[in-house]
Amino acid sequence: MLEIDIPGFGHLRLEHLVSDFSGTLSVDGKLLPGVRDRLNKISEIMAVHILSADTFGCAQEELLEVACEIRILDGHDHDLQKEIYVKKLGCERVVALGNGNNDRKMLKAARLGIAVTESEGCAVDAMLAADIHVRGALDGLDLLLSPKRCKATLRL
């Protein structure tokens, strides 16, 4: 578990990282360099969950060496499926990472929402739903590995 006390934002007790895959942790379906190592470090302090529509069909293969639970979404309403997943874990215990319109509801529901911009971009609605916007996946994951960065950004 990761605990952070942020003046004006509150006390965070984060037990779950829930992240999108395509466009957030990967570009064109390929896991970004450095993401695997960071996810494995984070898995030592909280459970890691990857939710994806798997646009490129290779999320499971790309995440083989990552200590995480992978859920490939099917059908429609991926935004609702992601939000429901976060709510089942307990919103107050979740940090979420995402970049797409289908991530906006989980970013809003999570106690800490982090919008990520990689080369596929970040939907404006995802940015507006998040608490923090970062310029890439590594920056977002590093916020969890160096939590004083969250405190510096979110404190009043």
Side-chain angles (χ1 to χ4, degrees):
M1 176 177 37
L2 174 63
E3 289 196 62
I4 315 169
D5 190 29
I6 303 173
F9 190 78
H11 187 79
L12 283 66
R13 295 174 51 101
L14 304 172
E15 298 176 25
H16 302 276
L17 165 62
V18 177
S19 181
D20 172 56
F21 180 75
S22 299
T24 301
L25 301 176
S26 69
V27 172
D28 295 331
K30 300 297 178 195
L31 198 63
L32 292 162
V35 168
R36 178 178 290 109
D37 291 340
R38 283 170 174 83
L39 286 174
N40 284 328
K41 285 180 186 173
I42 291 168
S43 74
E44 296 172 9
I45 57 173
M46 68 179 73
V48 176
H49 309 259
I50 310 297
L51 309 181
S52 181
D54 202 13
T55 304
F56 296 92
C58 50
Q60 290 182 331
E61 181 179 334
E62 288 292 308
L63 293 164
L64 277 177
E65 297 175 14
V66 176
C68 67
E69 180 177 331
I70 305 166
R71 180 162 180 194
I72 305 300
L73 306 173
D74 57 2
H76 301 285
D77 299 323
H78 293 164
D79 58 338
L80 294 173
Q81 290 181 51
K82 290 179 178 187
E83 179 185 33
I84 290 167
Y85 193 93
V86 167
K87 287 181 176 181
K88 285 182 179 178
L89 292 174
C91 296
E92 289 298 312
R93 301 185 318 232
V94 174
V95 53
L97 269 74
N99 76 311
N101 271 331
N102 68 358
D103 299 319
R104 71 189 188 285
K105 290 185 179 186
M106 80 166 176
L107 291 170
K108 187 71 170 173
R111 178 63 177 101
L112 179 62
I114 303 172
V116 175
T117 298
E118 285 291 346
S119 60
E120 293 179 19
C122 184
V124 171
D125 283 346
M127 283 193 264
L128 292 173
D131 299 298
I132 299 175
H133 172 253
V134 293
R135 60 187 173 165
L138 299 182
D139 291 332
L141 297 172
D142 285 346
L143 287 174
L144 304 177
L145 295 170
S146 301
K148 286 186 179 178
R149 293 178 185 180
C150 285
K151 187 174 187 174
T153 299
L154 293 172
R155 73 181 316 142
L156 291 179

